[in-house]
């Protein structure tokens, strides 16, 4: 079985996560897949950022969704990681797709919500992707894959964007996930490697689902999981 290696937030061990430099590093490595997180600004633009607050990965503070895109673009999203990355700007989803389109790189978009209006977030994603992919845009829709921990998000993605592939995210597998996986016609289930066994992977395979695990930075973690389909890694070069 060929292992799919997904650059987690780009190449996040060596570059500030979810930034242009981190994505370019993944391209330079020759990766076929990256994973990034998306969420909305106050003025309704989807941007690439994991945390709902700005404090950890920028020189800003407070909630991201309380800021407009213009306000966020004035912040530095690289200096927290290392001084050589000072000046890194937050990317919009549209900017990310433009960046990776010329390259043979697919993207797993994790839809991040907490207090957000889920229907509004999915509507923003639908609008953005309808502009970016055929027939209006040029980005290949088969290079986009959705995931989310939120079950309502998954159901809406299935309903509103049915042509895109999607996987259910969960800390651990439970048989109670099987009805959801079937309902949203998921291609796979993405799980925490620390809470995943070979038996779990076998069970999901028997039901026709791929299993990708996060976040795997040590190849030795795969010794007991040789049947995995994919790994999300901050250090993807270790698996190439």
């Amino acid at each position: 079985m060929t292992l799919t290696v997904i650059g987690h937030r780009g190449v996040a061990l060596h570059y500030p996560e979810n930034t242009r430099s981190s994505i370019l590093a993944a391209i330079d490595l020759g990766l076929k897949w990256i994973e990034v997180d998306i969420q909305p600004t106050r003025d309704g633009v989807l941007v690439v950022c994991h945390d709902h607050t700005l404090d950890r990965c920028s020189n800003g503070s407070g909630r991201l969704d309380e800021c407009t895109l213009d306000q966020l673009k004035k912040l530095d999203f690289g200096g927290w990681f290392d001084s050589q990355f000072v000046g890194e700007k937050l990317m919009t989803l549209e900017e990310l797709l433009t960046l990776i389109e010329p390259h043979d790189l697919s993207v797993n978009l994790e839809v991040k919500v907490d207090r957000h209006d889920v229907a509004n977030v999915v509507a923003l994603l639908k609008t953005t992707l309808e502009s970016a992919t055929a027939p209006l845009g040029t980005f290949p829709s088969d290079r986009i894959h959705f995931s989310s921990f939120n079950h309502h998000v998954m159901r809406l993605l299935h309903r509103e964007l049915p042509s895109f592939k999607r996987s259910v995210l969960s800390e651990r597998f439970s048989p109670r996930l099987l009805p959801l996986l079937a309902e949203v016609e998921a291609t796979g289930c993405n799980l925490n490697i620390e809470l995943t066994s070979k038996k779990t992977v076998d069970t999901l395979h028997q039901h026709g689902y791929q299993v990708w695990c996060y976040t795997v930075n040590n190849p030795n973690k795969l010794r007991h999981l040789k049947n995995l389909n994919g790994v999300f890694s901050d250090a993807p070069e270790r698996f190439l």
Side-chain angles (χ1 to χ4, degrees):
M1 181 183 298
T2 301
L3 184 72
T4 299
V5 179
I6 308 103
H8 186 237
R9 306 175 195 171
V11 185
L13 186 67
H14 307 297
Y15 297 83
E17 64 183 58
N18 281 324
T19 61
R20 180 182 178 88
S21 63
S22 194
I23 304 308
L24 289 174
I27 292 169
D28 289 343
L29 280 175
L31 294 185
K32 299 299 183 183
W33 278 91
I34 55 168
E35 180 270 352
V36 300
D37 311 279
I38 56 171
Q39 57 180 300
T41 64
R42 191 178 80 192
D43 48 343
V45 181
L46 289 174
V47 293
V48 181
C49 189
H50 176 271
D51 294 8
H52 293 303
T53 56
L54 298 165
D55 305 68
R56 182 176 67 89
C57 291
S58 80
N59 61 346
S61 62
R63 283 189 61 94
L64 183 150
D65 63 359
E66 292 178 350
C67 298
T68 64
L69 179 62
D70 184 60
Q71 290 171 323
L72 292 166
K73 282 290 191 180
K74 294 175 182 176
L75 298 178
D76 170 28
F77 279 79
W80 69 273
F81 188 87
D82 190 276
S83 59
Q84 67 178 304
F85 299 110
V86 168
E88 282 279 354
K89 299 301 181 184
L90 182 74
M91 282 193 296
T92 65
L93 173 56
E94 186 177 2
E95 288 168 343
L96 170 74
L97 295 178
T98 299
L99 176 64
I100 68 174
E101 183 178 348
H103 307 278
D104 184 19
L105 188 64
S106 297
V107 59
N108 183 124
L109 300 175
E110 181 181 342
V111 182
K112 305 288 290 186
V113 294
D114 60 354
R115 69 181 192 183
H116 304 87
D117 181 323
V118 171
N120 182 57
V121 174
V122 173
L124 287 173
L125 181 56
K126 183 177 181 179
T127 299
T128 303
L129 293 184
E130 282 179 344
S131 297
T133 59
L136 298 178
T138 56
F139 195 94
S141 60
D142 61 357
R143 285 168 51 190
I144 297 173
H145 193 109
F146 300 137
S147 64
S148 183
F149 283 99
N150 186 288
H151 294 184
H152 188 28
V153 167
M154 293 305 303
R155 291 185 174 100
L156 286 178
L157 289 171
H158 174 242
R159 188 181 78 188
E160 299 296 328
L161 291 155
S163 63
F164 292 84
K165 293 181 179 179
R166 58 204 150 267
S167 293
V168 173
L169 262 168
S170 183
E171 277 290 316
R172 65 170 75 230
F173 173 72
S174 163
R176 289 177 293 180
L177 281 177
L178 290 173
L180 177 67
L181 287 161
E183 178 187 349
V184 304
E185 298 181 280
T187 59
C189 190
N190 300 345
L191 301 170
N192 185 336
I193 195 166
E194 303 296 341
L195 302 173
T196 301
S197 66
K198 182 179 183 298
K199 181 179 178 181
T200 290
V201 179
D202 286 338
T203 297
L204 284 161
H205 283 171
Q206 288 164 11
H207 284 86
Y209 301 113
Q210 288 203 12
V211 183
W212 292 2
C213 278
Y214 62 89
T215 303
V216 192
N217 295 333
N218 184 348
N220 290 332
K221 293 281 187 181
L222 302 185
R223 286 180 177 175
H224 71 293
L225 288 172
K226 296 186 184 298
N227 54 344
L228 271 186
N229 300 100
V231 292
F232 298 89
S233 181
D234 298 322
E237 75 279 2
R238 297 175 182 174
F239 297 88
L240 300 178

